[in-house]
Amino acid sequence: MNPARLTIAGFALAAVLGTGLLMLPLASQDGQGTDVVTALFTAVSALCVTGLVVVDTAGFWSGFGQVVVLVLIQVGGFGIMALASLLGVLVARRLGLRGQLAAAAETKTLSPGDVRLILVGVARTSLVVEAVTAAVLAVRFATGYGEPVPRALWLGVFHSISAFNNAGFALWSDSLTRFSTDPWICLPITAAVVVGGLGFPVLFELRRHLRAPSRWSLHTKLTVLGSAVLMVVGPVVVCVLEWRNPATLGSLSVPGRLLAGFFQGVMPRTAGFNSVDIAQMNSATWLGSDVLMFIGGGSAGTAGGIKVTTFAVLLLLIVSEARGDEDATVFGRTLPRNLHRQALSVALLGVGAVVTSAMVLVATTRFPLDQVLYEVVSAFATVGLSTGITAQLPPGGQLLLVALMFLGRTGTITLATALALRSRPRLYQLPAERTIVG
C-alpha cells in the first residue's frame, strides 16, 4: 500500500469510527441515538475540518458527542498519518521508511528525512497556538460574559481547536454572530485560523528565518504573499458589497462593520465561522466567497481549497504565456514543468468535482444555483460556511456533500493516486505534434 492509499484508508477508518461513536445513544442529548446519515455527515465534517452541519452542534449533541466531534477535528487537522507517525516516534523512537513516506504524503514535507522533526514540531505548534487561543477566549468568556470558569474553559478549548484546525464548528446555533463586534473573540479566532491555514512547513521556516525573507524558500514566499493579498481582498469585497446591507453589516456601527467585514472576509480561507448571517448576504458576496473558498489556504496546513500556491502557479503560467516566455519564473526561480501539470490537475479536478456536484443538486433539489454552488464549494474546500440549506438537503444530497468533504480533505491528486491500480513508466517518447489551442 503506497502512502496515498494509506492516507485514504486512515481517513476512511477514522470516519467509520467517528460515525459509530456519534450513533451511540450517549452521544445525543435525547439519548435516542442518531441515524447513520446524520452521524456520518457530522463525523466526516469534523474529521475533514469542514464545519458544515445538519444538526445544531450545541443543541443536538451531548457532552460526549461534542468531545467526539472535537477529537475528530484535532485528529483530522493533524492528519491521520502524521498522528500515527508521531506516536511511532514517541513510542519506538524510530520510523521505518514506509512510515516516513506515509507521513510525508500527509504533511507534504519536502524530504522523508525531515519527517521526524516535522511531526514533533507540528505537535508543539498545534498545542502552543491552541493553548494560547484557548486561554484568551476563556478569560473573555468568563469576565465579559459571566460564564462559569469550567464552562469558559470548555468554550475556549473547543473554539481554539476548531479555529486552529480551520474547522468552524461552534457551540452556538448562530455560530459567532452574537460576538460580531467583540474583538476579544473575533481577533484571536482569526489569528488561529490564519496561523493554522499557512501550513506547517511555512511556520517552521518563518520561525527560523522570520527576519531574513531572502532565505525563505519559494513555497514560503508564494504562500505568505498570496495569503497576505487574499487577506486584504476578502475583507474589502465583503465590506464593499455588504456595507449598506441592513441584514448583515448595515446595522452595525462603523468599527463594528470593519471588524465583522474583516472577520467574514478571512473566514472563507477556510474556516466556517460566521459573525453575520450568511443567508442574508448578497448574491455577489456569495460569488466572491466562492472564489476565496475555492483558492483556500496554504499547503500542508489545516485549510482546504486548491491551495494558494496552486493558484499562484496557475497565475504565473498565465503571465508567462502572455509575455511569450518559455518558462514561468518568480523570485529568481524557474517553476519546473511537472509543477505546471500538477497545478493544472489539481485545479481542473476541483472544478470538475464542484461543477458536477452543483449540477446534481440543482437537478434534484428546489434550491437556486447560487445557494447550491456556495454549499458545494464550501464542502469541497472544507470551509463549512453555509447559506442554511445543508440540513434541508435530501439524504442523497447530504451524502454527496460528504463525498466532496472527503475529497477536499484528502486532496484530488492524493485520491486519484490512491485509486490508480498501478503506475506504468514509459520507456520511450512519442513524436511531438502541436494542436490548436483556443
Side-chain angles (χ1 to χ4, degrees), residues 37-38 41 52-55 279 361 364-368 371-372 375 386-399 401:
V37 174
T38 300
F41 191 99
L52 287 175
V53 295
V54 292
V55 293
L361 289 181
T364 57
T365 65
R366 56 182 176 82
F367 299 107
Q371 285 187 294
V372 167
E375 215 77 9
S386 173
T387 60
I389 68 173
T390 305
Q392 304 176 48
L393 292 175
Q398 294 177 0
L399 291 177
L401 294 185

Side-chain angles (χ1 to χ4, degrees), residues 242-369:
E242 298 293 326
W243 191 263
R244 298 185 182 278
N245 185 350
T248 55
L249 301 183
S251 61
L252 304 176
S253 63
V254 173
R257 294 182 193 184
L258 293 175
L259 177 61
F262 173 75
F263 183 86
Q264 210 54 64
V266 172
M267 289 304 111
R269 314 201 32 255
T270 56
F273 295 109
N274 61 281
S275 60
V276 297
D277 189 354
I278 300 296
Q280 300 300 321
M281 283 184 166
N282 299 313
S283 296
T285 311
W286 287 346
L287 183 58
S289 297
D290 289 340
V291 175
L292 293 172
M293 291 190 293
F294 189 77
I295 295 174
S299 299
T302 54
I306 64 170
K307 310 301 184 186
V308 171
T309 46
T310 303
F311 179 76
V313 169
L314 294 176
L315 187 61
L316 290 170
L317 290 178
I318 295 174
V319 172
S320 64
E321 189 66 25
R323 291 178 174 177
D325 297 335
E326 184 175 351
D327 297 311
T329 60
V330 61
F331 295 121
R333 296 291 186 270
T334 299
L335 301 179
R337 296 300 176 89
N338 62 339
L339 187 63
H340 304 180
R341 296 192 298 269
Q342 184 177 356
L344 287 170
S345 299
V346 169
L348 290 179
L349 286 174
V351 170
V354 167
V355 171
T356 303
S357 302
M359 289 175 60
V360 171
L361 289 181
V362 169
T364 57
T365 65
R366 56 182 176 82
F367 299 107
L369 175 60

Side-chain angles (χ1 to χ4, degrees), residues 83-283:
L83 179 59
S85 299
L86 177 59
L87 293 177
V89 171
L90 297 178
V91 174
R93 291 291 181 182
R94 58 188 295 271
L95 275 177
L97 179 59
R98 177 173 296 182
Q100 291 187 21
L101 291 175
E106 171 58 29
T107 60
K108 295 180 177 64
T109 49
L110 299 181
S111 64
D114 297 331
V115 170
R116 182 175 304 187
L117 294 178
I118 288 291
L119 294 180
V120 175
V122 165
R124 289 175 179 172
T125 303
S126 300
L127 292 176
V128 169
V129 176
E130 290 170 356
V132 172
T133 306
V136 174
L137 293 177
V139 170
R140 182 57 178 170
F141 287 134
T143 60
Y145 297 93
E147 296 284 357
V149 173
R151 170 71 175 171
L153 288 173
W154 169 242
L155 292 174
V157 169
F158 187 97
H159 292 91
S160 67
I161 293 178
S162 183
F164 178 73
N165 291 287
N166 279 227
F169 278 86
L171 293 181
W172 294 278
S173 58
D174 59 352
S175 190
L176 301 179
T177 55
R178 65 189 64 191
F179 308 113
S180 61
T181 58
D182 188 345
W184 291 101
I185 299 295
C186 293
L187 293 183
I189 287 179
T190 301
V193 167
V194 172
V195 172
L198 284 177
F200 296 115
V202 173
L203 293 177
F204 295 153
E205 194 163 351
L206 290 179
R207 185 180 64 181
R208 292 193 299 266
H209 309 300
L210 180 61
R211 298 183 179 180
S214 60
R215 302 182 63 181
W216 294 356
S217 66
L218 180 60
H219 173 76
T220 297
K221 291 178 180 178
L222 288 178
T223 301
V224 172
L225 178 60
S227 298
V229 170
L230 293 177
M231 280 184 63
V232 173
V233 172
V236 168
V237 169
V238 173
C239 286
V240 169
L241 296 177
E242 298 293 326
W243 191 263
R244 298 185 182 278
N245 185 350
T248 55
L249 301 183
S251 61
L252 304 176
S253 63
V254 173
R257 294 182 193 184
L258 293 175
L259 177 61
F262 173 75
F263 183 86
Q264 210 54 64
V266 172
M267 289 304 111
R269 314 201 32 255
T270 56
F273 295 109
N274 61 281
S275 60
V276 297
D277 189 354
I278 300 296
Q280 300 300 321
M281 283 184 166
N282 299 313
S283 296

Side-chain angles (χ1 to χ4, degrees), residues 368-392:
L369 175 60
D370 53 359
Q371 285 187 294
V372 167
L373 184 61
Y374 193 96
E375 215 77 9
V376 166
V377 175
S378 181
F380 171 77
T382 66
V383 179
L385 293 173
S386 173
T387 60
I389 68 173
T390 305
Q392 304 176 48

